[in-house]
Amino acid sequence: MTPSNAGGGARITRSLFLHAPMRRMPEVVLRQMLERVEPGTPPDGPRGPVARLERRLAEMLGTQAALFFPTGTMAQQVALRVHAARRGREAFAAHPQTHLDVWERRGYAIVHGLRFHPAGDRHELMTAADLALIGEPLAAVVWELPQRDIGGLLPEWHDLVAQVAEVRAGGAAAHLDGARVFEAQAYYRRPLEEIAGLFDSVYVSLYKSLQGVRGAVLAGDVPMLREAATWRTRLGGNVHDAWPLALAALTGLDTLVPRMPEFRDHAVALAAAINADGAALAWPDPPQAPMFHVHLPAPRAAVERAGAAMIAEHGTQLFPRLRTSPDPTRCAFEVSVGENAMEFSPAEVVSLIRELLDRAAR
């Protein structure tokens, strides 16, 4: 495995982090791309990698079509814009920690003139009762499956079906933030087309669970995607020569998606070992997706120093970023299980967390 610099002189040789830099080195990514290039393949057009990717994801999701976008930010805002225009409404609802509001500088409002209703408690799943409290007709409701910022929680299937039915009965569209829909499938154990079939539109990230370079796909019916394509052009997203992004995503579809149940089982084993040890708390317990949070009884600054010292001493990275807590004596980090995490046994992860906490206490 190729070591990598961690933003300075320290070199990461092993990482629990899903997007660890050593697996994203150019020579690794380019070699994987070349394995999926057939001789004579054109860069664009119906035989090109982007078109192949769109057709494949539409088939997997059971939708009429799929449309490539350079970013998920653009794809989701465009989806909401189209749903709003179709219904003559300007408001949408989602979990308080939706990516659309937390990470995108209110692009839905500044660029598209939409209003956001946070539904429910920021530390719990959105419920039908939360949605019922919104007193304004909605253009759409967004479900993120799994809900990353609360540890990858997922609503039970019957609850999700009931929520979507109620929203649609009120005239709103149902949109799936399926950035990690392949991880959600590992819990629901239902065909992807059944999960996607609940929704009017579906966004899939090409670089999160698929660990591609960048990009996204928006899937839905043909008329909706025709409108979305117009907005993609208006926003500067009709990128030519996007074939490298598509090839990287096709690699993930071939090599990583089939392993999602395995990744989820390992997440359950890691979380169980952490909680049995008791020095830290893994939540949810057990994980529903191949993802969970590790809550540490130590302040962020001390844990950051300890993590950097571990990288400097033996090259092992547990996290790239820590999450703060309302309790200043605690913090947390995310574990999203992929190929990197499979290299760590439950016992080793427990030992590394204990080492981290010991260093943080010094």
Side-chain angles (χ1 to χ4, degrees):
M1 182 179 294
T2 305
S4 172
N5 287 336
R11 296 176 70 80
I12 299 171
T13 56
R14 300 180 71 216
S15 178
L16 198 61
F17 176 48
L18 182 66
H19 292 108
M22 74 280 292
R23 291 196 188 273
R24 301 177 70 77
M25 299 294 284
E27 64 266 28
V28 175
V29 176
L30 289 171
R31 185 168 56 248
Q32 292 172 337
M33 288 183 187
L34 283 172
E35 291 172 356
R36 278 155 186 82
V37 177
E38 300 174 5
T41 298
D44 293 307
R47 292 179 50 234
V50 172
R52 282 169 46 204
L53 176 68
E54 290 173 337
R55 287 193 297 269
R56 185 163 175 188
L57 278 170
E59 182 179 347
M60 292 176 72
L61 297 168
T63 59
Q64 291 181 6
L67 182 67
F68 172 84
F69 278 80
T71 70
T73 296
M74 185 184 295
Q76 295 213 95
Q77 290 182 19
V78 164
L80 293 179
R81 176 90 185 221
V82 172
H83 291 315
R86 284 183 165 190
R87 290 159 180 81
R89 300 174 178 181
E90 297 177 342
F92 73 97
H95 189 272
Q97 298 208 61
T98 178
H99 194 284
L100 285 150
D101 190 60
V102 175
W103 297 105
E104 298 175 15
R105 300 193 179 188
R106 300 184 69 245
Y108 60 83
I110 306 302
V111 179
H112 301 285
L114 303 178
R115 295 191 300 278
F116 169 50
H117 286 280
D121 188 289
R122 63 184 284 106
H123 300 296
E124 298 177 357
L125 286 169
M126 182 173 69
T127 67
D130 296 325
L131 291 168
L133 293 174
I134 298 172
E136 179 178 10
L138 297 172
V141 175
V142 180
W143 283 265
E144 181 184 346
L145 303 178
Q147 189 74 48
R148 177 189 182 184
D149 283 334
I150 53 175
L153 281 173
L154 287 156
E156 294 303 323
W157 182 253
H158 64 278
D159 287 336
L160 178 62
V161 170
Q163 287 180 37
V164 171
E166 274 194 57
V167 162
R168 281 182 156 166
H175 172 73
L176 172 58
D177 177 343
R180 298 169 180 81
V181 68
F182 305 109
E183 282 111 317
Q185 186 192 23
Y187 177 70
Y188 287 134
R189 299 184 185 274
R190 295 172 181 272
L192 275 173
E193 58 263 32
E194 185 177 358
I195 298 170
L198 288 177
F199 300 92
D200 298 283
S201 54
V202 179
Y203 145 66
V204 178
S205 171
L206 302 183
Y207 76 93
K208 293 190 170 85
S209 56
L210 296 182
Q211 296 186 48
V213 176
R214 193 59 50 181
V217 161
L218 182 64
D221 62 51
V222 170
M224 186 262 183
L225 292 183
R226 283 181 183 147
E227 293 182 57
T230 297
W231 276 105
R232 182 183 67 175
T233 299
R234 287 170 175 160
L235 295 170
N238 191 17
V239 180
H240 298 288
D241 287 326
W243 55 267
L245 307 183
L247 284 174
L250 287 166
T251 298
L253 287 175
D254 289 339
T255 63
L256 298 176
V257 170
R259 299 188 67 187
M260 287 299 162
E262 177 189 1
F263 294 158
R264 193 241 170 185
D265 289 345
H266 196 57
V268 170
L270 292 177
I274 293 167
N275 287 337
D277 175 70
L281 170 69
W283 184 260
D285 183 19
Q288 293 170 289
M291 172 188 294
F292 60 91
H293 288 180
V294 178
H295 297 266
L296 304 169
R300 182 178 67 171
V303 175
E304 284 176 340
R305 288 194 299 269
M310 290 171 66
I311 292 173
E313 186 168 315
H314 50 73
T316 304
Q317 181 190 49
L318 289 181
F319 53 84
R321 180 177 69 90
L322 289 168
R323 295 168 180 266
T324 57
S325 166
D327 180 349
T329 67
R330 303 186 67 86
C331 64
F333 67 88
E334 175 188 293
V335 176
S336 191
V337 175
E339 290 178 314
N340 295 342
M342 296 299 292
E343 298 175 0
F344 292 79
S345 71
E348 183 181 13
V349 170
V350 168
S351 176
L352 288 167
I353 289 173
R354 282 194 164 270
E355 178 187 349
L356 181 74
L357 291 172
D358 179 64
R359 290 175 181 270
R362 296 175 189 173

